[in-house]
Amino acid sequence: MHVESLRSRRSMKRRRHHREVAEAPAHYVEATMHRRRHCDGCGVALPRGATARIAVVEGTVARRILCMSCVPEAAQQAPYGPVAMAAMIAPVALERTPLPRGSLAVWIAVGFLGIGDLLTSRTGRRILKTTWVAIKAAARAFGSRLLGKEDTGPAAIRNAFEDLGPTYIKLGQLIASSQGLFPEPYCQEFRKCLDRVRPFPFEEVQRTLRSELGRDPNEVFASIDPTPLASASIAQVHAARLRDGQDVVIKVQRPKIADIIDADLRVLRLGARAMSAFAPHGELANPVGVVEDFEANVREELDFRLEAAHMAEFNRIMDVQRQSRVAAPRVVTELSTARVLVMERFYGHRVDDVEGLREAGDAEERLLIGMRAWFQCMILHGFFHGDVHAGNLMLLDDDTIGFLDFGIVGRFDDHARYLVTDYMIAFASGNYKRLAEIIVEMAGAPPKLDMDAFVKDLGETYSPLLKLSFAEVNYADFLPGIQRTATRHRMRMPNEFILITKQLLYFDRYAKSLAPKLNVFTDPRLVLGMMSDIQKARAQADAKKKQQSTAS
């Protein structure tokens, strides 16, 4: 009895609603029928696909459907656009359209097909492989710890990165160059990723050369050493000799690297979005921006023609600056493509070969010359080498300095270059208030930034660099201190600052080995030259502004 009463009340409520809708002034909108209905006016059948008019009363879809010939003359056209009407009608149509039988089974099937498609796609396969390699590495490290062996965690993770391929090896290089942000055992272990990655077979090298050069390598080269000089994330390098007797090196890209990197970057983007959304202070770390920058750098590195152009630009700048003791390798243009780079061979010592450099002598002076050249590129030309790790800087046997591997370069426009010179002046002079203003101008200020507290914290973080020698500065505390300062004030450090700091830390590591008492921020040999370059850059910028204002 109670059920019948409830149904009766619902029925009366529906009839009352229909009567109110029928009596209310209606607007009509044209619609295409998705299932067979009848006109509420004349009763004619409206098949699927037919055009009809649906009554809309005060934003509600009424239960009145009329054929095109039955629309009352007094009816008004709906005062909404087609997009708005579609948005209005769709929820009601979905609500009132019952799911056909078997719909749940269809949606389940679609779901399984979607999962299957993901797992069989390149991205899905990379997710599965990444997970499997991570599990193996964790099990290996855990097993070693249970057996009481020395900590094999860093080696296990490095091996896992090498198993996963070029993208993760690039991440390993980032760990190697970020002393202070990662534990020292991991930094040391991942330095093997700089140029001692597992090589790929020499047969693949010959196959790539034949494909890229369009002829047999023996027609071009008198000899190629099958043992690589270096093997890194993107490519490996072989010594060779041209038919004319010139000694060269051949940089050959790893097979199928572009496809692997594409899949890895999709996985990294997913992880970055998750970290940004759910990790504490994730938005300040800007993981999505980090992955985007990483992607841009990696994609540039995949085209060796860009690297060849960067080396040519660097040598041109050195000629302009009359830096006869600093150079990049000269490229053999006719033998270089997007995946193969042939260039002159440098002979000398890597900058971290301390014993060899001490025997050669004069290492400190040459290091200062190389640093001055790097600063000149950045300050005067807005262009600089963006990856000066130990494998990319050599002190050569002919008493010159060689910069290698220009896959990553930094560029500043005039405004950013002006700010960077301001930043360097403020930092070298200990003007932390101006330093804070420049950082805010570069990155923007968060709401309610306490500028005085920010200036004080910057001073506490940076002052050791000006007061102590490189040997005395504890970089394991310095870099986390920068991050703590940024997080405390909800600041996001500008990319320009991060890139410059990274290169300075590379130079720091070499200086610690070759000249422990050197401090590049206070040494007059470097500071005076840097200030001269900054004044010259300012004069150029002012002259350019004056010329632009005169022209306008």
Side-chain angles (χ1 to χ4, degrees):
M1 193 71 180
H2 173 71
V3 174
E4 291 180 0
S5 175
L6 181 62
R7 285 177 179 171
S8 176
R9 284 200 300 270
R10 285 179 178 173
S11 178
M12 290 174 62
K13 186 176 180 181
R14 279 198 301 268
R15 285 197 296 270
R16 185 169 60 251
H17 172 72
H18 293 164
R19 187 167 58 252
E20 290 172 354
V21 168
E23 293 173 355
H27 300 286
Y28 286 84
V29 62
E30 289 187 9
T32 301
M33 302 305 299
H34 291 283
R35 60 191 180 98
R36 181 182 173 88
R37 292 289 296 271
H38 288 82
C39 173
D40 291 330
C42 63
V44 68
L46 297 171
R48 180 178 178 180
T51 301
R53 292 186 183 274
I54 299 177
V56 179
V57 179
E58 297 180 352
T60 303
V61 179
R63 286 181 178 269
R64 269 192 292 168
I65 299 177
L66 301 178
C67 65
M68 298 302 290
S69 59
C70 283
V71 178
E73 294 181 3
Q76 304 175 37
Q77 291 295 321
Y80 311 104
V83 175
M85 289 307 304
M88 188 183 302
I89 292 172
V92 181
L94 287 174
E95 179 185 350
R96 295 182 178 178
T97 304
L99 286 173
R101 289 186 179 180
S103 294
L104 181 60
V106 171
W107 282 112
I108 291 173
V110 169
F112 276 113
L113 287 173
I115 294 171
D117 184 57
L118 173 64
L119 296 180
T120 55
S121 68
R122 188 180 292 119
T123 303
R125 291 195 299 271
R126 288 300 289 175
I127 291 174
L128 290 176
K129 181 173 181 179
T130 302
T131 305
W132 173 242
V133 170
I135 290 172
K136 285 199 303 182
R140 196 177 296 124
F142 184 68
S144 298
R145 185 168 295 182
L146 284 179
L147 295 174
K149 297 181 180 179
E150 60 178 327
D151 185 12
T152 59
I157 294 177
R158 178 185 59 79
N159 286 326
F161 275 34
E162 291 190 6
D163 287 341
L164 290 169
T167 311
Y168 290 87
I169 294 171
K170 293 297 293 182
L171 291 175
Q173 292 176 351
L174 180 65
I175 294 172
S177 65
S178 301
Q179 190 178 18
L181 293 179
F182 297 93
E184 184 59 27
Y186 286 86
C187 293
Q188 291 181 358
E189 183 66 33
F190 276 100
R191 281 173 200 153
K192 297 176 183 178
C193 290
L194 297 178
D195 60 356
R196 285 174 283 177
V197 180
R198 274 178 243 154
F200 56 91
F202 184 62
E203 291 75 15
E204 292 287 354
V205 173
Q206 292 178 309
R207 188 176 296 114
T208 301
L209 289 174
R210 191 175 293 109
S211 171
E212 292 295 307
L213 301 179
R215 46 187 160 159
D216 193 282
N218 293 327
E219 297 177 18
V220 181
F221 303 99
S223 64
I224 304 176
D225 188 347
T227 303
L229 287 173
S231 181
S233 56
I234 301 294
Q236 67 187 34
V237 177
H238 290 260
R241 179 168 292 172
L242 297 177
R243 287 289 178 182
D244 62 5
Q246 179 186 357
D247 286 343
V248 295
V249 293
I250 311 170
K251 184 175 180 178
V252 183
Q253 199 169 106
R254 288 183 173 270
K256 300 179 181 178
I257 186 173
D259 292 340
I260 296 172
I261 285 178
D262 281 343
D264 285 338
L265 287 172
R266 292 190 194 100
V267 176
L268 290 175
R269 280 194 291 269
L270 289 172
R273 291 191 189 105
M275 178 181 174
S276 183
F278 301 113
H281 305 297
E283 75 281 2
L284 295 179
N286 192 20
V288 175
V290 170
V291 171
E292 288 174 352
D293 289 343
F294 180 75
E295 178 177 1
N297 289 332
V298 168
R299 292 201 186 282
E300 277 200 8
E301 286 191 82
L302 290 177
D303 190 345
F304 290 169
R305 293 168 298 187
L306 291 175
E307 183 178 352
H310 295 158
M311 286 191 282
E313 185 171 358
F314 181 82
N315 285 327
R316 180 191 63 78
I317 292 172
M318 292 300 99
D319 290 341
V320 170
Q321 299 304 133
R322 298 179 181 177
Q323 281 280 18
S324 58
R325 296 181 63 185
V326 182
R330 309 283 172 176
V331 176
V332 184
T333 307
E334 62 272 18
L335 297 179
S336 298
T337 69
R339 299 178 63 219
V340 171
L341 188 61
V342 181
M343 53 195 149
E344 69 172 308
R345 183 176 181 182
F346 280 170
Y347 291 93
H349 299 276
R350 283 172 43 133
V351 75
D352 61 349
D353 181 5
V354 179
E355 295 302 323
L357 292 175
R358 283 177 178 166
E359 290 178 8
D362 208 19
E364 180 178 334
E365 182 187 349
R366 284 196 284 171
L367 179 62
L368 285 171
I369 291 172
M371 293 176 70
R372 172 78 189 281
W374 184 85
F375 277 114
Q376 283 181 320
C377 278
M378 179 183 67
I379 294 169
L380 296 172
H381 302 271
F383 168 89
F384 60 94
H385 195 300
D387 194 21
V388 196
H389 64 67
N392 291 341
L393 187 62
M394 293 180 68
L395 304 190
L396 306 181
D397 293 343
D398 62 357
D399 202 32
T400 60
I401 299 95
F403 282 80
L404 308 176
D405 192 354
F406 280 73
I408 299 176
V409 299
R411 292 186 185 275
F412 293 144
D413 59 23
D414 290 342
H415 178 66
R417 190 153 52 96
Y418 203 91
L419 288 175
V420 166
T421 57
D422 259 4
Y423 167 81
M424 295 172 68
I425 292 173
F427 178 43
S429 61
N431 187 348
Y432 300 113
K433 184 176 187 301
R434 179 60 186 146
L435 188 66
E437 291 170 351
I438 295 165
I439 292 175
V440 167
E441 188 171 353
M442 283 182 174
K448 301 180 181 179
L449 172 66
D450 186 340
M451 196 66 170
D452 292 336
F454 186 44
V455 170
K456 181 176 179 292
D457 288 345
L458 284 177
E460 291 177 356
T461 303
Y462 283 96
S463 58
L465 289 177
L466 298 177
K467 296 177 182 177
L468 304 176
S469 69
F470 271 169
E472 296 171 309
V473 174
N474 184 359
Y475 282 92
D477 291 337
F478 174 62
L479 286 179
I482 293 177
Q483 188 58 48
R484 282 195 298 270
T485 298
T487 303
R488 187 180 304 126
H489 297 279
R490 300 193 64 79
M491 287 290 298
R492 189 181 287 175
M493 288 299 185
N495 290 336
E496 295 91 342
F497 160 81
I498 294 170
L499 190 58
I500 292 172
T501 303
K502 180 181 174 183
Q503 308 317 307
L504 291 177
L505 292 178
Y506 279 136
F507 286 124
D508 151 67
R509 189 175 300 127
Y510 316 145
K512 268 188 172 179
S513 302
L514 302 175
K517 295 183 179 180
L518 175 68
N519 187 323
V520 295
F521 301 108
T522 58
D523 189 284
R525 293 169 293 179
L526 191 61
V527 171
L528 291 176
M530 194 165 61
M531 290 303 172
S532 173
D533 294 333
I534 288 174
Q535 289 176 355
K536 187 176 179 181
R538 288 297 181 84
Q540 290 176 352
D542 292 340
K544 188 173 181 180
K545 285 182 180 178
K546 186 176 180 180
Q547 185 180 8
Q548 289 174 344
S549 63
T550 303
S552 60

